[in-house]
Amino acid sequence: MKKMLFTLLLTLLLGFLLLSPQTALEAASNGLILWYRNLVPVLLPFLILSNLMIRLDVISALLKYIHPLFRLLWGTSVYGSYGILAGFLFGYPLGAKVVQDLRQEGLISLEEATYLIGFINNLSPAFLITFVANQSLQQPSLAGPTLAILYGSSILTGLLTSFRYRNKKNMPPYQKKKASKAPLKPELIDACISDGILNITKLGVYIMLFSIITGALSMIPIKNPLQRCLLLGSLEITAGIRMTCASSMPFAQKYLCLILLCSFGGICALFQTLSVFPMPEKTFRHYLKAKALTLSLSVLFTWLFLAKLL
């Protein structure tokens, strides 16, 4: 069944490329421009530097003073605390990539990685402030409430799901394995650069492919603006955000739709996450459940905010 659906999807996309080449070209170009202008300058340097920091073991010294707070809130190890910090600051899919790097180096357990991936993998604050609040909504005053709703939901999800993982086996007070500090050599830098380029290229390809899929589905005549925005936005979030803000929906409906899209992140973001962190089945189930909890909390907080605002 899965193979049949996948074959059908590929056939439809091929037909779209052949029958509507101009629309497909524009969709692919928009995706690649977004990747080149917004993701490469921000994410590629961080991918390289983060990999170097893990290999050189400078994380312990970096988080010496803030780790006790992270451990109190979420019960994480020193290296797990770095995963939280990276995920909250840099967004999809950097949090997942850092968690996977830490797990591959043996610095955190699979149990801790499973716990972390459930709440740290979100849109970045910079994206929410600049693209969502300032450029799309054109209401900078909504940047604060949007950050509070989305990040408050993620933080609360982390707190609510932490009790299952707060035990000495999975969350040791101090890391059992001491990171092996690699010498700073040109070979190490080259390896980190190659890893960064490989991963940023994969992200660009995913964005291009989902931009094409979104362009193909946008040709379906869906009159209801909410249904249209949710359908297309659930595939690739930037297109969904633009479409939602340009729609004729009332403000309350428009803002709730934006929160839904931003909290979910989109199927494209999910594929990007899986490309940098191939999750075992148990981890993937936890990820989906945690995302569902975060989404529910975001809807609740948005409803409370809109009720007070309107």
Side-chain angles (χ1 to χ4, degrees):
M1 184 64 178
K2 291 181 180 179
K3 185 176 181 181
M4 185 182 300
L5 291 175
F6 188 66
T7 302
L8 178 61
L9 176 62
L10 290 179
T11 304
L12 291 174
L13 284 178
L14 182 60
F16 173 64
L17 291 173
L18 293 174
L19 298 176
S20 302
Q22 186 60 37
T23 306
L25 176 62
E26 291 177 2
S29 299
N30 289 336
L32 289 176
I33 290 172
L34 171 70
W35 170 75
Y36 175 74
R37 290 182 177 177
N38 298 330
L39 296 186
V40 173
V42 176
L43 298 190
L44 181 57
F46 178 78
L47 283 167
I48 298 170
L49 293 176
S50 177
N51 211 339
L52 280 171
M53 289 170 62
I54 293 173
R55 300 285 187 89
L56 296 173
D57 190 28
V58 300
I59 295 173
S60 299
L62 180 68
L63 300 182
K64 180 178 180 180
Y65 297 105
I66 64 173
H67 164 62
L69 175 61
F70 282 48
R71 183 187 165 199
L72 176 65
L73 291 173
W74 295 289
T76 50
S77 63
V78 174
Y79 298 100
S81 299
Y82 175 62
I84 294 175
L85 191 64
F88 280 172
L89 289 179
F90 295 98
Y92 288 112
L94 268 296
K97 177 65 169 63
V98 169
V99 169
Q100 174 67 349
D101 289 343
L102 293 170
R103 189 175 77 87
Q104 287 183 327
E105 291 293 319
L107 301 177
I108 62 174
S109 64
L110 176 59
E111 289 79 8
E112 186 172 7
T114 299
Y115 164 60
L116 290 173
I117 196 63
F119 71 98
I120 68 164
N121 207 38
N122 309 288
L123 294 173
S124 69
F127 181 86
L128 293 172
I129 293 171
T130 58
F131 184 76
V132 177
N134 294 353
Q135 297 179 20
S136 301
L137 280 172
Q138 296 184 350
Q139 296 192 47
S141 61
L142 288 177
T146 303
L147 288 172
I149 290 171
L150 293 172
Y151 274 80
S153 301
S154 297
I155 290 171
L156 186 54
T157 296
L159 293 175
L160 293 174
T161 57
S162 68
F163 299 102
R164 183 179 177 183
Y165 296 91
R166 284 179 182 269
N167 59 71
K168 293 182 180 180
K169 180 179 178 181
N170 295 334
M171 297 289 185
Y174 301 99
Q175 196 62 36
K176 290 181 179 178
K177 174 178 168 142
K178 182 177 176 60
S180 55
K181 185 182 295 186
L184 182 59
K185 294 182 177 180
E187 292 82 0
L188 176 63
I189 299 175
D190 288 345
C192 293
I193 291 174
S194 298
D195 181 74
I197 292 174
L198 173 63
N199 282 284
I200 199 68
T201 303
K202 286 196 294 184
L203 299 188
V205 173
Y206 274 115
I207 291 173
M208 180 190 67
L209 289 176
F210 275 89
S211 295
I212 294 174
I213 295 173
T214 303
L217 292 180
S218 66
M219 301 179 70
I220 300 176
I222 302 175
K223 294 182 179 180
N224 188 302
L226 179 60
Q227 294 176 358
R228 184 176 179 83
C229 292
L230 289 176
L231 171 63
L232 300 180
S234 63
L235 291 173
E236 206 286 307
I237 190 168
T238 54
I241 290 172
R242 290 193 186 102
M243 191 176 304
T244 301
C245 292
S247 71
S248 58
M249 290 187 291
F251 170 76
Q253 194 176 48
K254 184 183 297 187
Y255 188 69
L256 179 59
C257 183
L258 281 176
I259 292 296
L260 283 169
L261 295 177
C262 291
S263 182
F264 173 56
I267 297 177
C268 181
L270 175 61
F271 273 79
Q272 292 176 32
T273 298
L274 292 174
S275 74
V276 298
F277 186 180
M279 302 181 201
E281 183 178 352
K282 181 180 177 181
T283 302
F284 187 61
R285 287 201 307 267
H286 172 78
Y287 180 76
L288 294 180
K289 291 178 182 177
K291 275 295 178 185
L293 176 58
T294 303
L295 183 61
S296 302
L297 291 171
S298 298
V299 171
L300 174 61
F301 293 153
T302 304
W303 180 78
L304 293 174
F305 170 69
L306 291 174
K308 183 179 179 181
L309 184 65
L310 302 177

